[in-house]
Amino acid sequence: MPIPVPEPISRTIETLYRTESGRVLATLVRLLGDLDLAEEAMHEAFAVALESWPRTGVPEKPRPWLISTARFRAIDGMRRRARLDGAETDLIAHIEARNSDAPTGEDDEIEDDRLRLIFTCCHPALAPEGQVALTLREICGLTTEEIARAFLVTPATLAQRIVRAKAVIRDKAIPYQVPGFQELPARLGAVLLVVYLIFNEGYSAETTGAGLSREAIRLGRLLLDLLPEPEVMGLLGLMLLQESRRAARTSPGGDLILLEQQDRSLWNREQIAEGISLTESALRSRRFGAYTLQAAIAAVHAESSSADSTDWRQIKLLYDRLLRIHPSPVVELNRAVAVAMCEGPEQGLRLIDDLLERGHLAHYHLAHAARADLCRRLQRLPEARASYEKALALLVPDNDRQEAERRFLTRRIEELK
């Protein structure tokens, strides 16, 4: 009969899986040269730990133990299969040669392994949804079910995304390495985008997405430790500054609270201080990009005691700079709101109407909501109501993430009747 696992050891193994599985997997991918084989070996190692640690105790250095156990389990499994397939013998010899003097527990080597795995999961050859799913699965250690719940898809759909992403890595023989210096700026952009997509997915889900946002911030910290580039600082600063407002964004009943009406005493001052410090460091480098400029805008809001005391002119100037390096209709929309706040709602409304006439944001509900708000401030109430109704119609039906926005827009329409 199997030995019952004492509760303290069970908790230790669960904690190790959550905190160390990404490091263990990254090293196994380097040692074994195959993502699927490494993942299978890692799970076997944790299963062996559950079986043996109640008898032998938790090793002094559990991570090297897990890596070593997984590595030998994988090689043993390949040896058994090699009896049926002679071609696999050469592969085993190659892996054993690579493993003969390979370090399994040096922190620097393991962290380099994680950086290599991040760039592999975020390779531009993979579809964006595959990059996000694979990153959360292999780097963050989330289960397929956890990721599926976060993205409101079935576990089967999410699993297929991961399978397809792994197939691309295998079929295209994507190298398990950090890009060279000349390739790094282009490839780093893909990694940062995946991290920010994960953060936004959690942030847009209000209270239910807090875990996903925390995972993105954890990834940002990992990236900064491994690759202290200015834009990594900027992205981490941006995420911290946005996350600092989470507690004030909704009422106890789950209703949306706009930035200007939020109780700023609820903002997380520790996250704000860290976010501002990171943003200032990135700005001083003079090598910053779009994430750092967005963080600088968030920092202006964070340092203001109220909406009225916000330096909207500074925010407008930052959006001017952002538009030059990252032109986008959404950035134009945000700049128009800043113009409305510092030059009057008429000026902002003119810019938003121009955007909508060009068709860029015709199906973007936030553009119509922003237009509605400016019309409401100008007492053009029939126009405001029509724009709120247009914004409401553009929300995705039965989308739980947008429920707070749906209630907010419905309430505005009722107020204008």
Side-chain angles (χ1 to χ4, degrees), residues 158-178:
L158 199 285
Q160 280 302 309
R161 292 179 183 177
I162 294 174
V163 168
R164 283 195 293 269
K166 288 180 176 179
V168 172
I169 292 172
R170 183 180 59 251
D171 296 343
K172 292 185 178 293
I174 291 174
Y176 175 67
Q177 64 185 32
V178 178

Side-chain angles (χ1 to χ4, degrees), residues 301-316:
H301 286 296
E303 292 176 315
S304 305
S305 59
S306 67
D308 290 338
S309 65
T310 302
D311 189 347
W312 288 102
R313 203 163 296 280
Q314 174 69 10
I315 289 177
K316 174 189 169 295

Side-chain angles (χ1 to χ4, degrees), residues 4 22 30 63 81 85 91 94 96 105-106 143 155 159 204 210 248 266 268 295 316 332 352 365 382 390:
R30 170 172 58 84
R63 187 169 64 201
R81 290 191 295 270
D85 184 359
L91 179 59
H94 173 71
E96 287 181 323
E106 295 297 326
T143 66
S204 64
L266 296 175
N268 187 313
K316 174 189 169 295
E332 285 190 67
I352 292 177
H365 73 280
K390 177 68 174 175

Side-chain angles (χ1 to χ4, degrees), residues 272-291:
I272 288 172
E274 185 183 2
I276 289 174
S277 175
L278 286 163
T279 303
E280 289 175 345
S281 296
L283 288 169
R284 282 195 298 270
S285 75
R286 313 301 297 176
R287 294 189 293 115
F288 55 84
Y291 293 115

Side-chain angles (χ1 to χ4, degrees), residues 215-375:
E215 287 298 334
I217 289 172
R218 188 162 73 87
L219 266 176
R221 293 191 191 282
L222 170 63
L223 268 176
L224 186 60
D225 286 342
L226 301 176
L227 201 68
E229 289 288 313
E231 268 300 81
V232 181
M233 294 179 198
L235 175 59
L236 180 56
L238 172 61
M239 293 190 295
L240 286 166
L241 288 163
Q242 290 182 333
E243 184 67 12
S244 71
R245 301 197 295 264
R246 180 179 288 278
R249 292 181 68 216
T250 53
S251 71
D255 289 326
L256 188 65
I257 301 176
L258 298 182
L259 177 64
E260 63 193 63
Q261 298 164 338
Q262 289 176 13
D263 179 356
R264 300 187 179 213
S265 68
L266 296 175
W267 289 4
N268 187 313
R269 291 295 151 186
E270 287 185 9
Q271 290 179 326
I272 288 172
E274 185 183 2
I276 289 174
S277 175
L278 286 163
T279 303
E280 289 175 345
S281 296
L283 288 169
R284 282 195 298 270
S285 75
R286 313 301 297 176
R287 294 189 293 115
F288 55 84
Y291 293 115
T292 300
L293 284 171
Q294 291 176 77
I297 292 166
V300 175
H301 286 296
E303 292 176 315
S304 305
S305 59
S306 67
D308 290 338
S309 65
T310 302
D311 189 347
W312 288 102
R313 203 163 296 280
Q314 174 69 10
I315 289 177
K316 174 189 169 295
L317 292 173
L318 287 167
Y319 273 123
D320 289 341
R321 182 88 176 261
L322 182 58
L323 268 175
R324 287 199 293 272
I325 67 171
H326 186 70
S328 139
V330 174
V331 175
E332 285 190 67
L333 174 65
N334 291 331
R335 178 185 177 276
V337 172
V339 168
M341 296 302 291
C342 63
E343 297 179 14
E346 298 91 344
Q347 297 298 320
L349 184 60
R350 179 179 57 79
L351 293 171
I352 292 177
D353 282 342
D354 179 58
L355 265 174
L356 291 171
E357 284 171 15
R358 283 186 273 151
H360 295 315
L361 299 176
H363 301 288
Y364 186 51
H365 73 280
L366 292 178
H368 295 280
R371 184 184 192 280
D373 185 60
L374 295 183
C375 288

